[in-house]
Amino acid sequence: MIALAARGRVKFHEPDEYICWQSSPHTFFIYVIQQGSVSLWDEAANPPALRDIRGAGDCIGFERFNGSPASLHSAKAATEVMLYALPAADFEPLLARHPRAAAYVSASSAVTADYAAASERPLPHETFLADLLRGRAPVCCPASAPIRVAALLLSVSGADALALMDGEQLSALLTASDLLRWVAGGAPDPEQSARNIASATTVTVAPQTMVSDCVLAMAEARTSAAALTSDGSRGTTIHSVVTAAGLAPAFGDHPVTMLQEIAVALDAASLRALNLRARSWIRDNLAAPPALDWLASWADVVNRRILERLLQITGAHQSDSLFCFYGAAGRQELLTSLAPGIAVIGAAPPSLDTALAECGYLSPESPVVASLDEWKARFSGWIRDPIRTQVYGSHPFFDLRPVHGPGHVFDELESHVRAELAAEPAFLRILANDCLSTLPPLTFFRDLVVEESGEQTDTFRLESSTLQPLVDVARVFAIASGNPLGASTRQRFQQARRLLPAQEAIFREAAEAMRIVLFHQARAGLRMGSGGSALPPRPPGAQELLPFHPQSAGIHRAVRLDGGVLIWAPETPVEQVRFVVLDSETTGLNPRKDRIVTIGAIGVLNHEVLIEDSFEALLKVEYNSSAVTVHGVTREESLVGLDEPEALMQFLAYLDDGVIVGHHIGHDVETFNAGYERHFGFRMPNPSLDTMALTLHLERDGAFAGRDPIQEFSLDALCTLFDSIPHDRHTAPGDAFMTALVFQRLLRLAAKHNRTTLARLLEPFEP
C-alpha cells in the first residue's frame, strides 16, 4: 500500500469541475476523496439526473474492477475537492491479496462482467464472435467432392459458404461468389474437385475474436467468409463458418457488404452513395473512444477501396504508378468525409480530385505527382535544407503510406529517406522544435476556450490546437526510432515508449489522449458534415467535454532530445512548467555556516501534486545543534545518511529543469547554493518562487476578497486558510507536501487573476 501511494498524485477541483465523464474510458487512476464532496450524474437522462453524493474517504472509479469498460456516471465536484489519485494498474493486484478489500470493491457498484445498459446493443468491438454464432454448425463437404455436389449442398442448405474438409482438417472455404465466378468462366468440368475453384485465401479466427476484428480480417483478405476454429488455425476443429449474413445481427448496415458493393460499383454516383452510407455507419457505431481504433482501420479500408475502384473505372489500375495516402489518411486517422491526401509516384489519371468530389468526399485536392527520382530529391531537400525548403508545410508527407501499386517502389523511397535522415541528425532537432509552434489551449472557462496567448474564443480549434501537436510530437519520435514513414500516431507513441522507456507513462497517456481527441473530431465531423477541425467546447445537446491530457507539457519537454536542462521562457504557461516544491531542515539559520540535515521535495505539474515525482534524503551531520528540538534528527540518527556532496548531486539530478518553490524559500536556496559552491564551485541555475510572496501578490490582487483578513503568512496559517490538515510538520518531506498543497490552491487563484505565465508568478513582491 505504501508503494501504491508513492506512485500517486494529488488533484484539486473547484466546484462544478468534472473529474470524469460518463461513458468515457477510465483514466489510469482511481480516486480517493480526501476533502470535499463529489456528485455523480447520469447525463444520459434528459435532464441529467443526480445519482449519488460521495464524501471524504469514498472512492471514484471502482466500477472498472467489476467489468464496466467506461465510467458509469459523470463525477463532478460539488464543493472544493482534493483527491488522491492512485494508479489503477497497481491497485488491482492488491485485490487478489486482500479478500476484504476485494469484497468492498465488488459491493461498491452493481456491475457484472458483461455490463450494458438495458437499452444498449453490444457494439462490434465488445462482442465475441463465438457468442454471436453460438449454435450455428458449419456446412461441410469433402474437398475432393465435385463442384456439382458442393453447389447442390449450398443450394439445399441455404448457406452462403461451406467448409471443404480434408478429413478432420479445414482445406478451404467455398462461397457462392466462387461458384458464380466459375459459372461466368463457362462452368468447365462440373465433376472436378470443388477445391479447384475455391479462393486461395482462407481466413480463420478463434472463438475469442471480436466481431470487429473478424470484419477487418475479412476486409483485408477481400473475402466474404471466414472459419471459426478452436484456436484460430486450420488444423483444429471448425465450429462455424462466418459470412456477412452471420455477422448481420451485430450491425445495422453491414460493413463487409458495403465493401463488396464498393468493389463492383458501376460509377462515381454509386460510389458516392456507398461512401455516404459508410460515414453514416461509422457515426452510428462510434459510441465511445474505444471503438475508434477498429473504426479508423475500417474507414481506411473504405478509402482505399473507393480509390481502387475509381482507378479501375478510369482504366488506371494497371499502370506502374504507386498511389499513396499522406497526412491523416496516411496515418489511418481519417474517419470523416474529408478527401484523403493522395501522392503518386509515377503518373496519375486526369481530374482525380474531381472524381473524388463526385464520390462524396469533401475538399479534395489534386494529387501530388512526381517520379521516384523527384520524390527522392524532395525528401533530400526537406531533410538537408529544412529552412529554405520550408519543411514545416511538408510534414504530412512524412506520413506517406502505399495503398495501391508496386510496393518495391515505396521500399526504395523509404530506404532513401532513412539514409538521408542518418546523414543529417540535425533535422530531427529542427522537426522537434517545430512541435512547440502549436500548443493546446490552456483551459475551458465558462464555455470559452482560453488559448496560450490569453485569447478567449467560443470555438475550440480541435485539429490545430490539440490533434496536430500530438501528431507532430509522435512523428518526431517515429523518425528517431528509425521509422520515418507511414504509421498511425498511436503506433508512433508505442515506438516512443520503446525509445524512451523512462517516459513510458507520458507516451501511454499521450496515445490515449490522441484516441479521445480523434474520437471527438470524428463525432463532430460526421455529425456536422465537415472535417471536425473545430467545435464549441460544449456542443449543443450533449456535454462532450474534451478531457485535456494532463501530461501535454511533459510530452513537449520530452521532445527536447538534447538532454540538457530546459530553461523556461518567461512567457511559458504555468500549466507547462514543472515546479519542485522544496523544504529542508538545517542545523541553523546561517547558510554559510550551517548544514543541511534532511531534504524533502515533490513535483507539481499542471496543477497536480505528483507523489511519484518526489525526493527525500537524510544527510550526515557532525554535531547536534539547538535545531534538533525542531526537526528531531540527532547526530547519531544521521550516521546512516548520505555525505553532503552525494546528497546535493542526487538532488540536482532530480531537480533537473524544475522551478523551485517553497515557503520562505530564500533560506533553503542559499543553504543549497552554499553547499554547491563549497563542493563544486557553482550555484543552481533554477529560478525559485516563494509561496509567501505569491500569497501577498494575490492578496493585493483581491483573490481573498470575501474571506477573513489574513493575519499572518506562516505555512500553518495558509493551511488553515485552505482547510488543509497539516501532516508531519517540521519534517522536510512533510513540510514540502503541505507546501505543495498550498501552492496547488495558490495556482488556481493566480489563474483567475491573470497570473498565467511563469514571469507573472515570479514577479518580486514590493510592499
Side-chain angles (χ1 to χ4, degrees):
M1 292 298 291
I2 294 175
L4 174 70
R7 290 187 291 273
R9 56 187 63 177
V10 180
K11 297 169 66 73
F12 173 77
H13 291 273
E14 294 183 330
D16 294 327
E17 283 188 349
Y18 278 81
I19 298 164
C20 61
W21 292 264
Q22 186 174 21
S23 299
S24 290
H26 296 297
T27 68
F28 294 102
F29 301 96
I30 58 171
Y31 302 105
V32 181
I33 303 172
Q34 193 272 338
Q35 178 181 317
S37 58
V38 174
S39 56
L40 301 184
W41 292 84
D42 179 6
E43 296 189 323
N46 189 16
L50 178 65
R51 296 304 186 198
D52 197 6
I53 295 286
R54 296 187 180 177
D58 290 332
C59 300
I60 301 170
F62 275 176
E63 61 263 35
R64 79 180 68 215
F65 303 121
N66 295 327
S68 174
S71 298
L72 296 181
H73 303 99
S74 291
K76 190 163 60 171
T79 63
E80 290 186 341
V81 172
M82 187 176 296
L83 302 173
Y84 289 138
L86 305 175
D90 295 339
F91 182 82
E92 188 168 16
L94 297 177
L95 298 179
R97 302 208 305 265
H98 300 280
R100 291 186 178 180
Y104 174 80
V105 169
S106 178
S108 67
S109 56
V111 183
T112 62
D114 57 350
Y115 173 84
S119 60
E120 291 181 353
R121 180 191 70 213
L123 296 172
H125 65 282
E126 301 170 338
T127 305
F128 289 112
L129 199 58
D131 292 338
L132 184 68
L133 301 176
R134 185 174 287 117
R136 298 187 184 183
V139 180
C140 304
C141 80
S144 59
I147 296 174
R148 173 181 52 80
V149 173
L152 179 62
L153 187 56
L154 272 179
S155 176
V156 172
S157 66
D160 293 322
L162 56 83
L164 301 179
M165 308 295 293
D166 284 333
E168 297 296 322
Q169 185 170 332
L170 175 67
S171 174
L173 294 176
L174 181 70
T175 67
S177 298
D178 295 330
L179 285 170
L180 287 174
R181 280 194 295 271
W182 173 71
V183 171
D189 189 10
E191 297 300 319
Q192 66 174 304
S193 168
R195 179 67 183 86
N196 294 343
I197 67 168
S199 172
T201 302
T202 301
V203 174
T204 55
V205 291
Q208 66 270 26
T209 302
M210 294 296 179
V211 169
S212 56
D213 293 329
C214 181
V215 169
L216 291 175
M218 292 167 65
E220 291 293 348
R222 300 173 183 265
T223 183
S224 58
L228 179 69
T229 66
S230 294
D231 64 359
S233 68
R234 290 195 190 191
T236 55
T237 303
I238 181 170
H239 297 285
S240 187
V241 174
V242 188
T243 64
L247 294 173
F251 302 91
D253 210 343
H254 198 282
V256 172
T257 302
M258 280 188 281
L259 293 174
Q260 292 173 340
E261 292 181 38
I262 289 172
V264 296
L266 296 177
D267 50 30
S270 301
L271 288 173
R272 178 186 181 87
L274 287 164
N275 194 7
L276 294 177
R277 279 172 55 192
R279 305 304 156 182
S280 177
W281 184 86
I282 293 172
R283 182 192 62 209
D284 291 344
N285 284 273
L286 193 61
L292 180 120
D293 296 342
W294 89 274
L295 288 176
S297 297
W298 188 80
D300 177 64
V301 175
V302 170
N303 292 332
R304 285 188 280 136
R305 296 293 167 79
I306 289 177
L307 174 62
E308 290 172 3
R309 187 56 184 158
L310 270 180
L311 296 177
Q312 290 170 353
I313 292 172
T314 60
H317 63 293
Q318 294 181 338
S319 73
D320 293 331
S321 298
L322 175 65
F323 290 79
C324 302
F325 285 161
Y326 67 89
R331 301 187 304 271
Q332 299 185 57
E333 293 166 1
L334 183 61
L335 291 91
T336 67
S337 295
L338 276 183
I342 298 176
V344 183
I345 304 177
S351 304
L352 185 57
D353 53 336
T354 302
L356 289 172
E358 292 173 351
C359 290
Y361 283 109
L362 303 174
S363 307
E365 297 181 357
S366 298
V368 183
V369 183
S371 67
L372 177 59
D373 288 340
E374 289 171 328
W375 276 110
K376 288 180 179 179
R378 289 180 182 183
F379 275 101
S380 295
W382 293 329
I383 294 169
R384 294 182 183 182
D385 193 0
I387 306 301
R388 189 174 303 173
T389 57
Q390 298 180 328
V391 71
Y392 186 80
S394 303
H395 286 179
F397 290 110
F398 286 86
D399 304 327
L400 205 66
R401 178 171 57 92
V403 295
H404 180 79
H408 67 87
V409 175
F410 184 81
D411 293 340
E412 184 175 342
L413 176 62
E414 188 171 35
S415 296
H416 174 80
V417 173
R418 283 200 179 100
E420 290 291 286
L421 289 169
E424 293 289 341
F427 174 75
L428 191 62
R429 297 186 186 278
I430 293 173
L431 208 63
N433 186 67
D434 286 346
C435 293
L436 301 179
S437 63
T438 54
L439 295 176
L442 295 182
T443 187
F444 291 136
F445 179 67
R446 294 179 180 173
D447 290 352
L448 293 177
V449 179
V450 183
E451 301 287 354
E452 180 191 5
S453 63
E455 175 190 1
Q456 296 184 8
T457 70
D458 59 1
T459 300
F460 178 27
R461 293 185 285 271
L462 183 69
E463 182 165 352
S464 61
S465 294
T466 303
L467 189 147
Q468 199 59 50
L470 289 167
V471 168
D472 289 342
V473 169
R475 187 185 292 116
V476 169
F477 284 104
I479 293 174
S481 302
N483 299 289
L485 303 178
S488 73
T489 301
R490 298 186 75 234
Q491 289 171 336
R492 286 169 166 174
F493 279 129
Q494 290 176 357
Q495 295 169 7
R497 288 165 57 185
R498 292 191 291 270
L499 182 68
L500 294 175
Q503 305 293 339
E504 179 180 0
I506 289 178
F507 295 123
R508 190 188 307 114
E509 292 183 15
E512 183 60 27
M514 182 65 191
R515 172 195 271 173
I516 294 172
V517 171
L518 202 57
F519 165 77
H520 282 273
Q521 182 198 43
R523 284 281 296 271
L526 292 168
R527 185 172 57 243
M528 297 185 290
S530 68
S533 61
L535 67 158
R538 297 193 182 189
Q543 290 183 314
E544 295 177 340
L545 301 178
L546 185 66
F548 266 98
H549 185 247
Q551 296 291 350
S552 60
I555 296 170
H556 289 294
R557 287 170 49 229
V559 172
R560 309 291 185 104
L561 298 176
D562 56 2
V565 173
L566 188 152
I567 304 301
W568 298 104
E571 66 276 8
T572 304
V574 168
E575 286 78 4
Q576 297 181 18
V577 178
R578 174 177 174 256
F579 296 96
V580 171
V581 182
L582 170 66
D583 189 85
S584 62
E585 300 295 334
T586 61
T587 58
L589 299 177
N590 187 329
R592 295 292 167 183
K593 173 185 174 183
D594 291 303
R595 297 293 185 265
I596 301 169
V597 179
T598 57
I599 303 172
I602 191 166
V604 174
L605 177 64
N606 196 23
H607 298 285
E608 293 186 1
V609 180
L610 307 180
I611 299 174
E612 58 190 340
D613 182 15
S614 59
F615 180 88
E616 184 175 346
L618 171 67
L619 283 71
K620 294 177 181 176
V621 294
E622 297 179 355
Y623 57 89
N624 290 326
S625 68
S626 59
V628 170
T629 60
V630 178
H631 55 67
V633 180
T634 66
R635 175 183 177 277
E636 289 71 23
E637 291 172 326
S638 75
L639 293 178
V640 297
L642 301 173
D643 292 327
E644 187 177 66
E646 182 180 357
L648 289 173
M649 290 309 295
Q650 287 188 16
F651 174 74
L652 194 65
Y654 160 78
L655 176 61
D656 192 25
D657 60 359
V659 174
I660 301 170
V661 176
H663 202 65
H664 300 299
I665 193 61
H667 168 70
D668 301 84
V669 170
E670 283 305 311
T671 303
F672 274 68
N673 279 332
Y676 285 117
E677 289 178 334
R678 184 164 52 248
H679 297 292
F680 309 111
F682 65 81
R683 296 170 65 87
M684 293 185 295
N686 306 63
S688 61
L689 168 64
D690 195 326
T691 50
M692 178 175 174
L694 180 56
T695 304
L696 291 169
H697 271 301
L698 292 173
E699 183 186 41
R700 181 178 290 174
D701 292 342
F704 303 110
R707 300 176 184 252
D708 293 335
I710 302 176
Q711 301 298 327
E712 60 173 310
F713 293 89
S714 66
L715 181 58
D716 286 321
L718 293 183
C719 287
T720 301
L721 177 68
F722 293 120
D723 297 322
S724 294
I725 302 173
H727 299 280
D728 297 326
R729 285 287 282 120
H730 300 300
T731 68
D735 285 357
F737 181 69
M738 293 310 304
T739 304
L741 296 183
V742 168
F743 180 57
Q744 187 180 44
R745 303 293 290 276
L746 293 174
L747 285 177
R748 287 298 189 109
L749 293 173
K752 296 177 180 179
H753 289 81
N754 199 32
R755 296 185 181 274
T756 57
T757 65
L758 182 59
R760 291 283 284 141
L761 280 190
L762 295 178
E763 287 178 356
F765 180 78
E766 298 179 2

